[in-house]
Amino acid sequence: MELYLVIAVFVGSLLALGFALIMAKRVLSFDEGTEKMKKISASIRSGANAYLKRQYTIVAIFFAVLFVILGVMSIVGLLTPFVPFAFITGGFFSGLSGFIGMKIATAANARTANACRTGLNKGLRVAFSAGSVMGFTVVGLGLLDISIWFTLLKFVFNRDAAEITSAMLTFGMGASSMALFARVGGGIFTKAADVGADLVGKVEAGIPEDDPRNPAVIADNVGDNVGDVAGMGADLYESYVGSVISCSALGVAAFNEQGMGFQAMAIPMIMAALGILCSIIGTFFVRTGEKTEQKLLLKALSRGTNLAAILIAIAAFPLIWFILGKENWMLYFAVLAGLIAGVLIGKATEYFTSDTYKPTKNLASKSETGSATIIIGGLGLGMLSTAIPIIIVGIAVLVAFFVSGGTLQAPQMGLYGIALAAVGMLSTLGITLATDAYGPVADNAGGIAEMSGLEPEVRERTDALDSLGNTTAATGKGFAIGSAALTALALIASYIDKIKSMPAAGEISYDSFSVMNPLVLIGLFIGACLPFVFAALTMDAVGRAAQSVVIEVRRQFKTIKGLMEGKADPDYAKCVDMCSRSSLKEMILPTIIAVVVPVIVGLVLGFYGVVGMLAGATASGFLMAIFMSNSGGAWDNAKKYIEAGHHGGKGSDQHKAAVVGDTVGDPFKDTSGPSINILIKLLSMVSIVFAALVVQFHLLG
Amino acid sequence: MELYLVIAVFVGSLLALGFALIMAKRVLSFDEGTEKMKKISASIRSGANAYLKRQYTIVAIFFAVLFVILGVMSIVGLLTPFVPFAFITGGFFSGLSGFIGMKIATAANARTANACRTGLNKGLRVAFSAGSVMGFTVVGLGLLDISIWFTLLKFVFNRDAAEITSAMLTFGMGASSMALFARVGGGIFTKAADVGADLVGKVEAGIPEDDPRNPAVIADNVGDNVGDVAGMGADLYESYVGSVISCSALGVAAFNEQGMGFQAMAIPMIMAALGILCSIIGTFFVRTGEKTEQKLLLKALSRGTNLAAILIAIAAFPLIWFILGKENWMLYFAVLAGLIAGVLIGKATEYFTSDTYKPTKNLASKSETGSATIIIGGLGLGMLSTAIPIIIVGIAVLVAFFVSGGTLQAPQMGLYGIALAAVGMLSTLGITLATDAYGPVADNAGGIAEMSGLEPEVRERTDALDSLGNTTAATGKGFAIGSAALTALALIASYIDKIKSMPAAGEISYDSFSVMNPLVLIGLFIGACLPFVFAALTMDAVGRAAQSVVIEVRRQFKTIKGLMEGKADPDYAKCVDMCSRSSLKEMILPTIIAVVVPVIVGLVLGFYGVVGMLAGATASGFLMAIFMSNSGGAWDNAKKYIEAGHHGGKGSDQHKAAVVGDTVGDPFKDTSGPSINILIKLLSMVSIVFAALVVQFHLLG
């Protein structure tokens, strides 16, 4: 049984990685275009490489320090000796996912632009293939990591299911730490460059977007790759692996007594492997004609993702029926609940942020009375938009819990069901991520087309692809946020399982954490506060980093002679360096807070406080992530809606007001919002790893 | 014993009301000034009167409907027959508090302006006396309501302590409903008028603030009175009464077994009565010289409030020692914890929002790169500023809980301690509210001075008073938010006590509400979402209402001939009517949501879901209230800081950017933020009243 399991997972992993390789070869088989395009693409590539190298150096220090801390804890017996190594590998694979994604994206940008010279369909194929490389690398590496560790722990060290999942949860912590660095650092980089380029270039100097005379224009394109691509890759690696291992851990807890621990543990892993197969099939159905209409393009992508979702919905049924036995077949509905919830949250996100619906149209009309009203409107829209996802997740959780046989007295089965819902949501990540990651490639292609002076219809085609990317990004965000909430809940349950297993903690059950326990309550307050503080820190960081870019761009405009006349080149590298430097400096504090606070809360308020903190952070983090993503998305699209000729169009006062909204929305949707998803899981992972320490030493409780 | 108690409380109430009467007479003894001042003041008065009359008519319908619903529930035995009547009186007294406050404020505005013609000290005396009328009316009516109901229930109907506190909690629901209507309606009115007047008058027509040619200028002044005064009065009546009765209820629960239920119940009431005495003494120490320096003025006010706080800190000790016995004297530290926490939260608020400190100065400097950066900065500042109050409240809760003898196994005493901390925080409300409520009076006085063309030094003096009002408002907000969180926690405990007393609920204890119970958890998510939705609805309402004012003001500028030349009068009444109409329409939905959601959550998720919802709403409401109040306050003061001549001063681009921030901040700090404080308590009150219904009928749990 165990051997079949590991083989199945391993095969799934190889399938994904092999498919990614084929796609990568396909991308590279296209031509990069003119000399100028090659040159620009090379600058972007070298900037992104240089940034990631520096980022990894800093992250390596962090990992080294934590490796030593975890090593010491292992030696004194607070952790098993696997933990420090699992931690490192999680970080390594998460970083690698981002790195490969970035590599292929920077190779594909000029190729996409060049392919768009031939036609829209060809452009879509290049960009989507690049997105597929990233999507399948993430899931492939995820399952590879899982199967390697499983093989080691099971067949080499002969550990039982509980110990295996426990060790595997630690590589989740490594993956989450890396992901947070990547998201925060990359998010700050991309928005600092974007805001800096716009504020001086567009507003002060009056030159168009992506104009090669703007010294920050390459930095802006580098930012898309290190933030939206490398950051997203690391982020979703973390989500994917986190959902699978937390589900496995809960499966063991729920089914061990019936002697089916391994079976329950296997379900999420095999479902992930099946999801890869379904995703690959889906990719073959993504193609389009030559019309730039959004509807047709969207249909082309949706055909693939919908097919994959339907296939996994069918495949999950026999999987559960045969592995867990027909008496547990109702767990299938937990998977289904997750899948449907993911789709619905995506739809809700689209409704609130796409300019084809009322909310964003309304928001655009608020530009008529200036920037203050569009800001108020966007904030209100984002806050209001939290209600529907909350209800969707609430229903999904209740359905998953009760159909799985969970009861208020014995919730184990139900908690496993909740975790299965998260896995269901993410099982087709291969293809959903492909449709998401292709966006920044198209965005970059547009920039290259502009900078190298290609024909206007090329830009039109890349714009069509880019604009579609905004919609698929909304859907992707729905899955990311929804799965983050469910996985975070599963991780809280895993934390309690961990505590329960420690004799020093006393008699603990899932029922021990009443909100009326003042330690739980204060933990809840502190936890709920963390996403606010985290959002504040990351937003401020973007502000400060952008400020430094603004100063540098102004300096170049002033001191480089002939720059505005196009006779001299700006010093692109200096701006890239500026963004790197400040984003790397700024990414450290937020991440350290995320790692240190759970330990401090544990040492002061004990594990009661930790559980409260995790629940509070999950609830408020979910809300803040949706609020910030949707406000930001709506402002962005309201601006685009105005640029399309409504409310005065480009250059009008209304447009200026909308640009203010969009600028506020930038760090909202691309830095703070997505980072919070990682934050809430990292808090749980850290708590799990330091659980033994906290049970031994705590001030209260 | 019971008789002494009721006499002491009754005496305290009469003392407060008598003092308010003396202060009112003193205010009225001053002269209203010139004919023009009298005329302007009369228009403001009549506008405010007309608005409140219409507001009360709508509120009366709401109360009538709920009276019938509660009446039916009483008849079928789900409630005691006192409930519908208690509900009505709570609403009545809350409304009356706001009404009297508004009456005296509209009588005092011209008198303050006129007094400022003689000197600053005289102006301060008039404005502060008017604030005192409001402060002492609120506390006087609060204790009057409490003592009347106590007398009725104890001496006429002969009920025991548990039944008395249970019935009294329902007038809390009446008070909170009224307060929410007043705060939301008044908040929308005042900000719609303010934003509307500014957008057309200042920005489009280019006339100064408070210019009599602006058709919305009277509406703006009316708004100060119906929002900042009447709204605040109703709001703080609710806070005051809520903290006292929830504390009494928990006292009965904690001490009934030892036969000291009445004593424990009496403590918060007598402490409130003593607080009135201390506050009155404090008021005699408020006086200033003729220098308009902020520091000196602030000292004048602080002298009074600090003295009152010190006196009650001293008086609380013998009170607890003698009434609860020396074995319970440690409860004194719970009171002290509350008092100190209130002061510290006020200081933290001041730190984050006053332009004498770094955060607001920094924020002002962000105007250099435009409105987007100042908006991002202000949002970040507000979010970051939640951390310190959370920690302060956390420590206060833990101290109050553990010094009172609460344990994780038997938390009753500790919960009583938390409620005592809230009472401690609010015990000197008489004087703290006086220093808070005087602000809008001074603000109005400034408007009248401007409109009636008084000498510039008069405006200088009223500005000095007004600006001081901003600081005291920050402190007041600290108390309001801090006490709201503590009272909300106490009310959750009361809710659980209520459920525990119902046999149909089964075996329930404080420990039954684990965050891992999916019903509690989903309740928590929904509860945490409510402040977001509520903030969104109220912000949007302000936006829509302001829009209607904008259109009306534009119309008058266009159609009334000679208006801009000062030859014709604008139609002030039309603008007042416009604001009334839209604010009254807009206040209904948010309030209904606050009343209906807890019932629906209860009917679907049962009482487990309700407890989760209340905990979630308290945590996220506390955060949102601080975030929105502090962001708004900081933007306001950053603008003032720039107007004082920094970063380019008035009229510069930086100033324009800061005005955008201030406009976004208006609904943040004066509509949504303060309403959320009421919301979190109203949710609990409604849950308590409908507890029997929910225990009988619920879908899950």
Side-chain angles (χ1 to χ4, degrees), chain B residues 179-324:
Chain B
L180 198 59
F181 275 118
R183 255 301 185 199
V184 173
I188 296 171
F189 187 118
T190 177
K191 289 304 132 183
D194 192 0
V195 172
D198 284 0
L199 279 179
V200 190
K202 269 208 265 188
V203 182
E204 293 180 17
I207 57 176
E209 204 168 329
D210 291 329
D211 191 293
R213 287 170 296 175
N214 192 327
V217 72
I218 293 289
D220 190 4
N221 281 291
V222 169
D224 290 343
N225 290 294
V226 301
D228 299 348
V229 178
M232 179 157 63
D235 177 352
L236 285 163
Y237 175 88
E238 178 268 353
S239 300
Y240 188 71
V241 166
S243 76
V244 170
I245 57 182
S246 64
C247 184
S248 289
L250 290 178
V252 172
F255 280 88
N256 228 2
E257 278 183 28
Q258 310 164 41
M260 301 218 296
F262 264 111
Q263 281 87 329
M265 179 183 168
I267 292 279
M269 300 182 186
I270 299 181
M271 193 145 61
L274 277 178
I276 288 176
L277 196 63
C278 302
S279 297
I280 292 178
I281 296 172
T283 59
F284 292 111
F285 290 80
V286 176
R287 65 171 72 91
T288 181
E290 285 309 322
K291 289 192 183 151
T292 52
E293 265 179 74
Q294 287 292 307
K295 264 195 189 165
L296 291 175
L297 279 173
L298 186 59
K299 225 181 186 173
L301 288 184
S302 310
R303 204 183 302 131
T305 48
N306 289 346
L307 182 69
I310 292 169
L311 289 177
I312 191 73
I314 296 170
F317 184 74
L319 175 70
I320 287 173
W321 181 283
F322 287 117
I323 295 193
L324 286 182

Side-chain angles (χ1 to χ4, degrees), chain A residues 198 202 209 360 364 374 634-644 655 658-660 662-663:
Chain A
D198 285 1
K202 269 207 268 188
E209 201 166 331
T360 300
I374 202 169
W635 276 317
D636 188 357
N637 286 329
K639 185 196 71 174
K640 292 205 168 104
Y641 184 72
I642 292 174
E643 283 171 354
H655 183 239
V659 168
V660 172
D662 184 38
T663 311

Side-chain angles (χ1 to χ4, degrees), chain B residues 563-585:
Chain B
L563 176 58
M564 286 304 282
E565 295 77 33
K567 285 178 196 153
D569 278 343
D571 187 353
Y572 297 128
K574 191 73 206 282
C575 281
V576 173
D577 181 62
M578 211 80 204
C579 288
S580 301
R581 206 185 288 273
S582 38
S583 67
L584 293 175
K585 197 179 81 190

Side-chain angles (χ1 to χ4, degrees), chain A residues 15-362:
Chain A
L15 211 59
L17 292 174
F19 186 71
L21 196 66
I22 295 170
M23 287 290 127
K25 281 202 170 152
R26 191 207 259 185
V27 170
L28 295 174
S29 73
F30 287 89
D31 191 59
E32 276 207 293
T34 65
E35 277 314 303
K36 195 156 188 193
M37 289 166 76
K38 280 182 194 162
K39 197 184 137 200
I40 295 167
S41 178
S43 327
I44 297 174
R45 198 152 41 230
S46 80
N49 274 330
Y51 170 76
L52 282 194
K53 213 171 278 171
R54 286 166 70 172
Q55 189 190 58
Y56 293 145
T57 316
I58 293 178
V59 172
I61 298 171
F62 170 87
F63 270 79
V65 170
L66 264 174
F67 182 81
V68 171
I69 293 173
L70 298 178
V72 171
M73 285 171 64
S74 302
I75 291 168
V76 300
L78 287 169
L79 291 173
T80 67
F82 305 113
V83 166
F85 301 97
F87 174 71
I88 294 281
T89 53
F92 174 77
F93 279 111
S94 169
L96 187 61
S97 297
F99 181 74
I100 294 176
M102 188 277 289
K103 275 281 176 198
I104 194 73
T106 52
N109 46 17
R111 292 180 164 90
T112 302
N114 195 47
C116 279
R117 293 166 79 188
T118 323
L120 184 65
N121 189 25
K122 201 171 166 194
L124 176 67
R125 266 175 54 210
V126 180
F128 183 72
S129 300
S132 303
V133 175
M134 161 110 141
F136 287 94
T137 303
V138 165
V139 296
L141 289 181
L143 287 194
L144 186 66
D145 196 5
I146 289 173
S147 48
I148 290 175
W149 272 100
F150 186 82
T151 310
L152 265 180
L153 293 165
K154 175 71 195 163
F155 300 111
V156 179
F157 293 102
N158 237 327
R159 303 291 159 145
D160 69 11
E163 275 180 276
I164 294 175
T165 52
S166 171
M168 277 160 64
L169 282 169
T170 8
F171 71 70
M173 177 180 159
S176 297
S177 309
M178 179 64 229
L180 198 59
F181 275 118
R183 255 300 184 201
V184 173
I188 295 171
F189 188 118
T190 179
K191 290 304 131 184
D194 192 0
V195 172
D198 285 1
L199 278 180
V200 190
K202 269 207 268 188
V203 182
E204 292 180 17
I207 57 178
E209 201 166 331
D210 290 330
D211 191 293
R213 287 170 294 174
N214 192 328
V217 72
I218 294 288
D220 190 5
N221 281 291
V222 170
D224 290 343
N225 289 294
V226 302
D228 300 348
V229 178
M232 179 156 63
D235 177 354
L236 285 162
Y237 176 88
E238 179 268 354
S239 300
Y240 189 70
V241 167
S243 76
V244 171
I245 56 181
S246 64
C247 183
S248 290
L250 290 177
V252 173
F255 280 88
N256 228 3
E257 279 184 23
Q258 310 165 42
M260 301 216 299
F262 264 112
Q263 282 86 329
M265 179 184 167
I267 291 279
M269 299 181 186
I270 300 182
M271 192 146 60
L274 278 177
I276 287 175
L277 196 64
C278 302
S279 296
I280 291 178
I281 297 172
T283 59
F284 292 111
F285 290 80
V286 176
R287 65 171 70 92
T288 181
E290 284 309 321
K291 289 191 183 153
T292 53
E293 264 179 75
Q294 286 292 306
K295 263 194 191 163
L296 292 175
L297 278 174
L298 187 58
K299 225 179 184 172
L301 288 185
S302 311
R303 204 184 304 129
T305 49
N306 289 345
L307 182 69
I310 291 168
L311 288 177
I312 190 73
I314 296 168
F317 183 74
L319 175 70
I320 286 172
W321 180 283
F322 288 116
I323 294 193
L324 285 182
K326 63 171 186 258
E327 64 280 12
N328 291 310
W329 74 277
M330 291 280 285
L331 279 165
Y332 170 69
F333 290 106
V335 179
L336 216 55
L339 258 173
I340 295 172
V343 173
L344 291 181
I345 296 175
K347 289 271 166 235
T349 310
E350 203 187 317
Y351 173 73
F352 276 102
T353 60
S354 155
D355 63 12
T356 48
Y357 300 100
K358 225 178 96 188
T360 300
K361 276 189 186 155
N362 251 341

Side-chain angles (χ1 to χ4, degrees), chain A residues 527-553:
Chain A
C529 180
L530 283 176
F532 283 76
V533 170
F534 197 80
L537 291 177
T538 46
M539 279 198 293
D540 282 347
V542 170
R544 272 192 302 269
Q547 201 87 21
S548 72
V549 177
V550 165
I551 291 165
E552 172 60 22
V553 174

Side-chain angles (χ1 to χ4, degrees), chain A residues 380 496 510 513-516 528 536, chain B residues 380 496 510 513-516 536 623:
Chain A
I496 296 176
Y510 289 116
F513 301 93
S514 174
V515 288
M516 273 291 113
Chain B
I496 295 176
Y510 289 116
F513 301 93
S514 174
V515 289
M516 273 291 113
L623 290 162

Side-chain angles (χ1 to χ4, degrees), chain A residues 358-448:
Chain A
K358 225 178 96 188
T360 300
K361 276 189 186 155
N362 251 341
L363 182 63
S365 79
K366 286 186 178 148
S367 65
E368 298 281 348
T369 35
S371 41
T373 41
I374 202 169
I375 295 286
I376 295 178
L379 293 170
L381 180 149
M383 289 180 186
L384 193 64
S385 73
T386 57
I388 293 173
I390 278 274
I391 291 170
I392 295 171
V393 163
I395 292 173
V397 164
L398 289 178
V399 168
F401 185 88
F402 288 110
V403 296
S404 310
T407 63
L408 299 189
Q409 290 71 41
Q412 278 87 345
M413 297 282 283
L415 295 168
Y416 179 54
I418 294 173
L420 268 181
V423 176
M425 217 181 254
L426 288 181
S427 55
T428 57
L429 184 70
I431 188 163
T432 50
L433 184 52
T435 62
D436 201 351
Y438 108 103
V441 175
D443 188 3
N444 251 250
I448 292 175

